[in-house]
Amino acid sequence: MQQGVSRRELTTNPWRRSLFDGLVDASNLLRNAGCPTIYLDGSYISGKPKPGDFDACWDPTGVDPTKLDPVFLDFTNGRASQKAAFKGEFFPSSMTCADVGRTFVEFFQQDRFTGNQKGIISILLQTDPLLTEKVQP
């Protein structure tokens, strides 16, 4: 898993800043529920200028279900409520992706075209400075 990604790398234009703001909002909610780590994947962590959204999964270890926003467990309608709230999608990292029979954190680490292993971004929610404040325009 990659570490040491800068905010600047993820927010190279207004659209990417908007996605980042959604990621920060969601990360704060997850952190407040006790989530230790999220993992980022998809075109958002590539150099693509205008990715459609971001894909994330979150570690449920230590999460207090009474503090977890229900939107993180709403997978209906193509995860529309998550996309509306955060501009991205979130899955519990230990949840099995039915299409491939692997957990989401494992699925995220496999290139969908080649099947080869690939890196993803791991963010420690309690300590990562990347999420301590929103990006200024």
Side-chain angles (χ1 to χ4, degrees):
M1 287 178 240
Q2 298 178 10
Q3 293 186 1
V5 174
S6 74
R7 179 178 19 233
R8 184 172 303 202
E9 291 173 275
L10 297 176
T11 59
T12 56
N13 59 46
W15 173 246
R16 283 180 152 277
R17 282 191 290 279
S18 174
L19 291 176
F20 184 79
D21 286 346
L23 175 63
V24 170
D25 291 344
S27 297
N28 284 327
L29 290 172
L30 286 166
R31 180 179 57 210
N32 292 339
C35 177
T37 309
I38 62 169
Y39 305 94
L40 284 178
D41 185 33
S43 60
Y44 183 66
I45 64 170
S46 75
K48 187 175 182 180
K50 191 166 183 185
D53 64 1
F54 58 83
D55 303 305
C57 62
W58 51 277
D59 183 351
T61 305
V63 171
D64 181 343
T66 65
K67 294 180 180 178
L68 183 65
D69 188 314
V71 73
F72 291 107
L73 299 175
D74 184 355
F75 306 110
T76 60
N77 202 21
R79 294 156 306 282
S81 61
Q82 293 181 13
K83 291 176 185 178
F86 311 120
K87 300 179 185 74
E89 301 173 278
F90 289 85
F91 302 91
S93 61
S94 58
M95 181 178 174
T96 299
C97 178
D99 295 341
V100 296
R102 301 176 78 184
T103 65
F104 273 95
V105 75
E106 293 169 331
F107 172 62
F108 280 8
Q109 294 179 75
Q110 182 176 3
D111 184 283
R112 67 180 169 157
F113 300 110
T114 66
N116 294 336
Q117 190 170 9
K118 67 177 180 100
I120 59 175
I121 297 175
S122 170
I123 301 173
L124 302 175
L125 295 182
Q126 299 300 325
T127 60
D128 197 304
L130 183 69
L131 300 176
T132 57
E133 63 184 61
K134 288 189 178 184
V135 174
Q136 299 304 310

